[in-house]
Each structure stands twice: as structure tokens, then as C-alpha cells.
Amino acid sequence: MSPSASRTRRGARGLAAGTAVATAAIALLPAGASAEAVNQPGWSVSTQTLSTGINLGYETAIDPVHRRVYAADAQATTATRTYSRGADGQFTGAYVDEITRASTGKVVSFSTANHSFQKSWDYTGLLGTNGVLNSGFTFPATAGPGTTGVTTTNNVQTGNLPYSVAIDHSTKNAAGQDDPTIVTVQTRTGTVAIFPSSQDKPKDSDLFSTLADGTTKAFTRVRAGVVDSTRHKLYVANYNASEGSVSVIDIPTRKVEAIIPLPGAVGLALDEESNTLFAGTWTTQPSDTVKIIDLNKVDRNIPTSMTDFGQNAQAVVASTEPLNAVDARPAYDPVGKKIYTANNNSKSISVVDANPASPTYLKLLKTIEPAGTPNSIKVDPQRRLVYSADHTGKVVSVIDATTDTFVQGVPTAGNALDVDIDPASGVAYVSNQTSGSTTGQGVLQAITVTRDAPAPVAGPKGDTGAPGPAGPTGPAGPAGKPGASGTAKVSISLSSLRVIGTRVTAQAPGAGTFRATVKSSGRTIASGSATAKKKGTVRLTLKVTKAGAALLKKKAVKGTLTVQFTPKGEKAAAAQRSTAIRLAKARGAKRR
């Protein structure tokens, strides 16, 4: 790690098994690792699930002008081929093909204003996706003497199924009316589809995969694309660890205008205002980088081959320092002028200075550990938040862009593959990949994260007025009654709380009573109290309730530990602190 970089880690503190009331282990959770969205202090989170009919969710896209969110379904056809044998047990050459699961490939859209369904574009009629086995569907060549039983293959290898989706929101139809253009990338077939959203579904003629000559292959292992709606350009990454590139496509003409050499190009982010492209890499090197591409310097020479780069190597004007990470997929923050990368193979998020006027320009500022394995990352510059879709962890990590610190993880319904943000509402839309589903389980989730309003702060004290004239001395009055005792201002910090087994240790600011409760889903599952005679260390024991013991016989329970301190002689608590904890499943012990 470079001297300018720092690494933030959030992990669990392992605690010994409890033995006081029921056999249970209590541990502080890593932030966001809970199966439930437990709000961290100062933050509020809400989620809504949209039933999309998607079976294998891939990428999402936002149309900020017409307030739409788009999501891709890449569910492929699956079929079996059964080989016949003769009486002698040898293969006869005959076989029977049977489709066992039809493709549901499509793009769907919803309103981001009210989450109402808008439209669906069916891809199953396209060549190689329509379930007709002789139009793009192939089986392994394994048939022959000695071949047994059934051979199965999956159409995901050849079908024109949408993986990446992007929107050119400023295109119009022949009558001059708004008609956003849908752009999808079919990674497995190496094709790009471009068609107007007013069209009922894509056609075979909307697909293209060649250069201007009509025969030379235009894409190699083509990845996610980004759209410039100002200039009507599409940029896609052609992944190859040693010979990768970025293709520049003119959307109205569907022509590849230029190819920019970039080994390992795997992810793209665009700043339309400066016409700058940020390209993340995944190479054979031990540490990847993000390349800065000045699109104003691209020579649109209409290439005739994938190696016809012209002068476009000069468009790659800069590179970040090594990120100490592998497989970097970038997002750009135009307000903070920073680059965030979801490092899929390294399971980390890198923060890079992208301000050319800064002395640390292109330096690694920080490495953040998310709640899972990041696959996609997006920035909400207005609300200063960063969202990372963590695929294997089934969680979305939320980062505070003002401090570049992990806020919390928000659990998702499936493997969170991609995320995009509606700038008007700040809602993050997450596509969930549920492999093999035929019941629409690859749902779209809408996540809202807000900062809680800070407590009111008193304004500065006003100037003191001039003293008035002295009055005459009056007679002595009767003795007054004793005044009420004051309440000391105390606080409980997380650093003063320790949990060992079922015992909680805290620092008392004076004489008083500590009370601790553990709640889950509104039910108290453990509690305890202790009295402090004076300032100093106090230890109290958590006792599992009957309801808690019943739950712990079945499964581990996530909850919130709340500790309160009430000074001696007072009725109301003067301080309170809460944190997320986890109670492990009981291992055969009985409640006493």
C-alpha cells in the first residue's frame, strides 16, 4: 500500500460462549453483515421490492429525464439431448432433443416516480434465443459409442440475451417527439442491440457485431457499455487481459467509429461534461489501475480491423497509480472529483483522487472493505453517497462520500449484481441475480438511505447589556426551599462498552443504575441490570428471556443491544447507547 493510502477494516469481535442462563454466544456484528437492515446511528434505510418477472437479473440503467429504471433479464433456454442405444448397447446415431426451460430474455422498465410498471421488450424471438434448436442452439459433440444417458447444454452460450443495458435519453423520433434509445450488450454472442423504446421488441436487424465492412468482427468479449446522451455515443469494453480495447459507437448510425487500445478493459465510467472516460482494468499484473481517456483526442478513423487503432493510443492520457487490487470497475464522483472502484477479485473498494489541480492527483487515497464482494459501484453526487452491489454477499454496501467510510450493508433478495441511482429521488435500484429461477425471483429492489437530521445546536450567546442603576436595599426575605437536584450530563461511548460472553462492562460516571436489553423484531430476548455506588467500572449479566431461549433453539438471532444509565435519585435515563449484536443458536443447553 502506498504511503498516501489508508485501509479501513470493519470486522466482528469474537466473544466467548455464554453460560449464565442459556448457552449462547454474543458478538458485535460487522457493520452491514446482518441479514436484516439494522440502521446505524445517524442513518435511516428503507427498501422496497418490485416484482419484475425477471428470472436472471443482470444490469440496470436510469433515464433521469423521463424518470425510468430499466433492468435486463438474461435467462437462457435449457434443453436436453437423449441418445439412443441399440440392443447391443451401442450408440445408434439417433437422439431426441427436448427444451426443458424456455428463455425469458427481456428488458423491463418501471417509473422511478411511483414504481409502476411501464413496459417490457421481449428478446426471445431473436436468432439464437428463440428456443429453436437449429438457430443458434448447439450441443457438445460428445455422442458416439459408449455415450451414456443425457447430455445437457445451456443457450446462454449462444443466445442473444441482454446482459448490459444503457439508455440514450435525449433521442427523438421522426416527428420530433422524445423517444429514448435502448442499448443492450449481448456478452455471450458479442453483439450490441440499438433500438427505439417506442418499438415493441428488438429485431434481428437491430443487432450488429461487425465493423463497417460488414464482415470483420467488431467486438471481443464485449462488456458493459456507457452512453453519452449529449453526443449520442456508446462506449463498450472489449475484455482481453493483454489485447483489450474500448470501442466508440455512433448510436444513430450504429457504426463503430474508433477503437482505443486498452489491455484488460473491464469497466467504464463517463464524465459527459469534460468528455472524459474512466476505464478500469483487469490484467495479469498483481495490481490494476484506472486509465483516463480524453475522448476529444480520439481519431474517429472508421477502423477496418480490431487492431486498426490509428492514433488512438494517444487518447489514453493518464493512469492512476496501482490500486493494490485486481479487477477494478470504476465510478466517477463529479462533485468530490474522485474515482471509486469496485475491485471484484480483491473484495475491496479503492478511492482515487481525480482532481487534476490536486497535489495527490491519481493517487490512491483509501481502500475500504465492503460488506461483500463488490461487482458494480455507482455514486450519488448530490447526496454524497456511494453504493456497491456486493454479488456474493447478497448485500449492497453504502459508503459516505464525505468521509469515504463504510456506513452499513443493506441485505438484498438475491446476489446483488448491479446498482444505479435515480438523481431526482436518490433511490438506488439493485438488480438481483437468481440463477435458474423460473418464477421471477430476480427482483429489482429500491433502496433509500438518508442521513438523520442533526440535533438542534444553540446559537451564539448575545452581547450583555449595560448594567442598570443600583436600587435601594430591601428587607431580608424568608428562607427559600431547597432547590431540585441537578442532572449530570453523562454519555456512554461504544469504546467504554465491552461484551464478554453474556457480561457487559461499562464505565459509570457516578452513582446510578445501568440497564441493558437485547431486542429483535420488537421482542426482548435478553436483559440485565447493575448498580454503581460510585464512579467506576460496572459489570452486568445478560439473561436470556423465555422468548429468546425459544428462538435460539432454532437459529441464530440478530438484535440490538441498548444500554441506559440513570443517575441515583433520578427517574429518567441520562444516557443511552445502542449497537447491533448477534446471538448464536443454542447448542442443546436448556434454559435455567
Side-chain angles (χ1 to χ4, degrees), residues 293-315:
I293 301 175
D294 184 348
L295 296 171
N296 297 308
K297 296 184 178 181
V298 171
D299 179 9
R300 288 166 170 76
N301 53 18
I302 310 299
T304 58
S305 74
M306 286 296 288
T307 59
D308 184 10
F309 296 138
Q311 300 299 314
N312 287 325
Q314 298 179 10

Side-chain angles (χ1 to χ4, degrees), residues 518-540:
V518 178
K519 289 189 175 183
S520 177
S521 301
R523 291 178 291 182
T524 299
I525 58 177
S527 63
S529 63
T531 300
K533 295 182 179 180
K534 58 182 180 178
K535 181 179 180 180
T537 301
V538 175
R539 298 178 178 84
L540 60 87

Side-chain angles (χ1 to χ4, degrees), residues 141 147 315 343 434 475:
T147 301
N343 308 315
T434 309

Side-chain angles (χ1 to χ4, degrees), residues 189-520:
T189 53
T191 63
V192 171
I194 300 178
F195 61 95
S197 59
S198 58
Q199 192 169 296
D200 289 337
K201 58 185 178 181
K203 300 174 292 186
D204 287 335
S205 59
D206 296 323
L207 299 168
F208 74 100
S209 60
T210 61
L211 297 179
D213 61 6
T215 58
T216 304
K217 189 175 181 180
F219 310 114
T220 302
R221 299 180 69 181
V222 61
R223 296 292 182 115
V226 293
V227 164
D228 181 344
S229 290
T230 302
R231 302 168 182 86
H232 306 297
K233 305 297 180 186
L234 167 67
Y235 304 95
V236 297
N238 298 293
Y239 174 71
N240 185 299
S242 59
E243 300 177 357
S245 62
V246 174
S247 296
V248 182
I249 301 163
D250 182 63
I251 291 176
T253 63
R254 303 179 189 172
K255 298 294 185 183
V256 177
E257 291 186 328
I259 298 175
I260 305 167
L262 189 63
V266 70
L268 304 174
L270 177 68
D271 179 25
E272 286 192 27
E273 183 176 351
S274 64
N275 203 21
T276 301
L277 192 67
F278 304 91
T281 60
W282 181 13
T283 65
T284 57
Q285 301 300 316
S287 184
D288 286 317
T289 60
V290 175
K291 305 299 184 183
I292 315 302
I293 301 175
D294 184 348
L295 296 171
N296 297 308
K297 296 184 178 181
V298 171
D299 179 9
R300 288 166 170 76
N301 53 18
I302 310 299
T304 58
S305 74
M306 286 296 288
T307 59
D308 184 10
F309 296 138
Q311 300 299 314
N312 287 325
Q314 298 179 10
V316 183
V317 295
S319 173
T320 66
E321 69 176 356
L323 303 179
N324 297 323
V326 179
D327 191 1
R329 308 173 185 198
Y332 177 63
D333 174 11
V335 174
K337 294 191 181 303
K338 290 180 286 189
I339 301 168
Y340 295 85
T341 64
N343 308 315
N344 185 267
N345 275 20
S346 300
K347 301 181 180 180
S348 64
I349 294 172
S350 297
V351 186
V352 177
D353 186 350
N355 183 1
S358 170
T360 57
Y361 179 50
L362 300 181
K363 298 293 185 182
L364 177 64
L365 301 177
K366 198 171 190 179
T367 301
I368 305 169
E369 184 174 349
T373 302
N375 188 73
S376 170
I377 193 165
K378 295 293 180 354
V379 177
D380 181 350
Q382 178 181 346
R383 297 161 188 84
R384 311 304 299 130
L385 293 173
V386 180
Y387 295 84
S388 168
D390 299 344
H391 186 244
T392 59
K394 296 184 179 181
V395 66
V396 170
S397 292
V398 183
I399 309 296
D400 183 351
T402 61
T403 59
D404 290 330
T405 54
F406 180 95
V407 173
Q408 70 178 75
V410 182
T412 56
N415 294 326
L417 191 86
D418 192 33
V419 59
D420 212 340
I421 303 160
D422 174 32
S425 63
V427 175
Y429 293 88
V430 182
S431 63
N432 292 294
Q433 187 183 66
T434 309
S435 180
S437 168
T438 56
T439 57
Q441 294 176 6
V443 298
L444 194 66
Q445 284 182 275
I447 299 175
T448 304
V449 178
T450 55
R451 303 171 194 265
D452 294 343
V457 178
K461 185 178 181 180
D463 296 335
T464 303
T473 302
K481 296 181 179 180
S485 59
T487 300
K489 293 183 177 180
V490 298
S491 64
I492 301 174
S493 66
L494 283 175
S495 60
S496 70
L497 290 178
R498 296 183 61 195
V499 183
I500 302 177
T502 55
R503 299 184 68 184
V504 178
T505 301
Q507 297 297 318
T513 302
F514 276 99
R515 290 182 174 84
T517 58
V518 178
K519 289 189 175 183
S520 177

Side-chain angles (χ1 to χ4, degrees), residues 1-43:
M1 181 174 296
S2 68
S4 63
S6 62
R7 184 170 180 84
T8 302
R9 296 186 60 87
R10 303 178 68 92
R13 299 177 183 176
L15 303 175
T19 56
V21 177
T23 300
I26 299 177
L28 294 178
L29 285 176
S34 169
E36 302 173 0
V38 180
N39 292 345
Q40 299 302 307
W43 299 87

